[in-house]
Amino acid sequence: MPTPIALRDINWIRGALQTAVALEHATMPLYCAAMYSLEVQNYPSYNTIRSVLMEEMVHMAIASNMVAALGGSPNIQGLAPEFPGTGGLPGGVAPDLRLRLAKLSNASLESFMRLEAPEFMLNGRQRGSAYPTIGSFYEAIRAAIVVNAGAVERAVREGGPANQVGGNLGYLTFAADDPDPVSRLLQGLDLIMEQGEGTGAGSVETQREDFQKEGSHYARFAELRYGRRYAGAAGAVISRETERDFFTGEEIVWPVVINTLAVPEDGYAALLALDPQGPQVRKELEGFDDAYTQMMVALDTSWNGPVETWWPSLGAAVAQMDQMRVRSCFNIMRSEIPQEAIGRMRELYPREYRSLERHTDLSVPVFYGPRFVNNAA
């Protein structure tokens, strides 16, 4: 049950922004799993997913800087989103979503579009929750900041123990001596919302000059789903019914995708037990998880360690990101799951079988994929 509006004070704002950090982070393994599954990493599809992923990293950094600006310490090391998810994103956002780590497919793109959707693109049932979209969650934070503007400004002036990270990389930071810290915080929220969903009111486009007319995250995933660039429709307003008419531009050729099995609840444990190469595959999976864990620890240190170490800590996180890509693309995803084990999928995963089948073609060779286990959480 969401906190009543009347009780959304400065403490609620700090907690909601920490949830925003968790929410932004939760999107990243999903997009990474799809991006890694591309056989060749120079397709338009790869570049599209990578562009969204990089912006989600920026959004997480902005949210972390907001937490720090208000005297909090962003918790990154402890983040551990559950996949497969059963109730949407952190904070109760988009609770109808059932998210899986999976290869790029129409099924995954439909999930990504739902994840990034503006509220006007939802059906009545989806709109019925407290936070049907990411944007609606940020709107609640925005409204609380406006109502508590005095307390918010005082908190920024007082500062806190955590660092402001990424100012020299173009991330929004929030200084104690800012002449209008409340407006600066609202600017950060508006940037995140527009980049994800568009400008709203019947549009999935962005208008900020610094976005260079790049489509919203929703629009970019829709381009991949429909296989065509966004072209607009003169005099028309995009809606659930008219959406396809807006994606009629240049064709986007579907890439070659490695047929990874969507990660089941047990992290492949039942399949590994049947695989003669199971010990070696498990070692690769754990190596990826170790790199992921080290990345999360390094990011946490960037915000919560000594101020002089935030830059090298961020560099260490980037190095682990590269390790994750290499381990996934060149090791894990080259390990085929034995056909005998695939033939027993319905027996091994009776509750999950239909969902796994929806995200994976079980009629052709199937491979393992990364699990994104944060051992530091």
Side-chain angles (χ1 to χ4, degrees), residues 181-356:
V182 173
S183 293
R184 183 75 168 173
L185 290 167
L186 297 179
Q187 178 189 356
L189 296 174
D190 291 343
L191 181 152
I192 293 171
M193 287 188 284
E194 183 175 345
Q195 203 159 43
E197 301 178 4
T199 56
S203 172
V204 294
E205 298 181 65
T206 59
Q207 293 182 347
R208 291 169 58 102
E209 289 185 8
D210 50 340
F211 292 165
Q212 300 181 357
K213 297 185 178 180
E214 189 171 42
S216 66
H217 294 179
Y218 180 87
R220 277 177 262 174
F221 285 135
E223 287 184 328
L224 300 186
R225 176 63 183 86
Y226 292 115
R228 295 279 180 178
R229 294 295 184 192
Y230 178 85
V237 174
I238 193 169
S239 67
R240 289 170 54 82
E241 293 71 30
T242 65
E243 179 176 71
R244 184 178 289 273
D245 298 336
F246 285 72
F247 296 90
T248 57
E250 179 186 0
E251 181 182 6
I252 300 173
V253 177
W254 187 257
V256 177
V257 179
I258 300 171
N259 187 40
T260 57
L261 178 66
V263 181
E265 289 181 0
D266 71 349
Y268 299 124
L271 292 167
L272 290 168
L274 298 174
D275 188 347
Q277 302 301 317
Q280 179 59 34
V281 176
R282 183 177 290 106
K283 181 180 178 181
E284 295 296 345
L285 289 167
E286 291 173 350
F288 178 96
D289 293 338
D290 181 63
Y292 175 53
T293 299
Q294 290 187 52
M295 179 196 74
M296 299 298 284
V297 171
L299 288 174
D300 195 277
T301 303
S302 293
W303 269 273
N304 298 309
V307 65
E308 64 272 12
T309 67
W310 81 255
W311 179 249
S313 295
L314 195 61
V318 172
Q320 293 304 322
M321 291 176 197
D322 189 56
Q323 278 292 310
M324 290 160 57
R325 183 185 66 83
V326 170
R327 285 182 175 275
S328 180
C329 298
F330 297 101
N331 295 11
I332 295 171
M333 290 184 172
R334 304 298 166 179
S335 298
E336 182 178 349
I337 302 173
Q339 283 296 314
E340 178 186 358
I342 294 298
R344 295 178 59 184
M345 286 277 294
R346 195 184 297 272
E347 166 198 341
L348 296 173
Y349 302 108
R351 290 188 303 105
E352 298 182 82
Y353 181 78
R354 290 185 64 183
S355 177
L356 294 171

Side-chain angles (χ1 to χ4, degrees), residues 9-227:
D9 57 9
I10 186 67
N11 291 323
W12 181 88
I13 293 170
R14 287 194 192 96
L17 287 169
Q18 173 58 50
T19 299
V21 174
L23 187 159
E24 297 295 344
H25 171 257
T27 68
M28 296 179 199
L30 298 165
Y31 298 161
C32 275
M35 184 178 74
Y36 291 160
S37 74
L38 301 195
E39 181 68 54
V40 179
Q41 299 183 352
N42 62 359
Y43 284 110
S45 301
Y46 181 89
N47 293 332
T48 292
I49 300 170
R50 185 178 184 277
S51 71
V52 173
L53 177 61
M54 296 299 290
E55 287 166 7
E56 296 294 4
M57 293 179 184
V58 173
H59 296 175
M60 187 179 107
I62 293 172
S64 296
N65 283 340
M66 289 181 177
V67 173
L70 295 177
S73 298
N75 176 10
I76 299 173
Q77 180 173 315
L79 299 179
E82 292 186 6
F83 301 111
T86 58
L89 294 162
V93 175
D96 57 291
L97 271 172
R98 301 293 182 267
L99 297 168
R100 280 194 177 276
L101 296 169
K103 67 174 185 175
L104 180 67
S105 66
N106 284 338
S108 61
L109 286 170
E110 287 163 6
S111 292
F112 297 167
M113 289 169 66
R114 169 64 190 94
L115 190 157
E116 301 282 3
E119 191 165 347
F120 70 84
M121 294 296 287
L122 305 184
N123 61 37
R125 178 183 58 81
Q126 292 169 327
R127 290 179 186 151
S129 62
Y131 300 122
T133 66
I134 294 174
S136 64
F137 180 70
Y138 280 115
E139 286 286 5
I141 299 175
R142 195 183 199 287
I145 289 175
V146 171
V147 170
N148 296 278
V152 168
E153 180 168 353
R154 285 192 297 274
V156 175
R157 299 286 183 231
E158 292 171 4
N163 303 320
Q164 291 291 311
V165 172
N168 56 346
L169 296 173
Y171 303 169
L172 274 182
T173 55
F174 308 91
D177 60 355
D178 191 299
D180 190 352
V182 173
S183 293
R184 183 75 168 173
L185 290 167
L186 297 179
Q187 178 189 356
L189 296 174
D190 291 343
L191 181 152
I192 293 171
M193 287 188 284
E194 183 175 345
Q195 203 159 43
E197 301 178 4
T199 56
S203 172
V204 294
E205 298 181 65
T206 59
Q207 293 182 347
R208 291 169 58 102
E209 289 185 8
D210 50 340
F211 292 165
Q212 300 181 357
K213 297 185 178 180
E214 189 171 42
S216 66
H217 294 179
Y218 180 87
R220 277 177 262 174
F221 285 135
E223 287 184 328
L224 300 186
R225 176 63 183 86
Y226 292 115

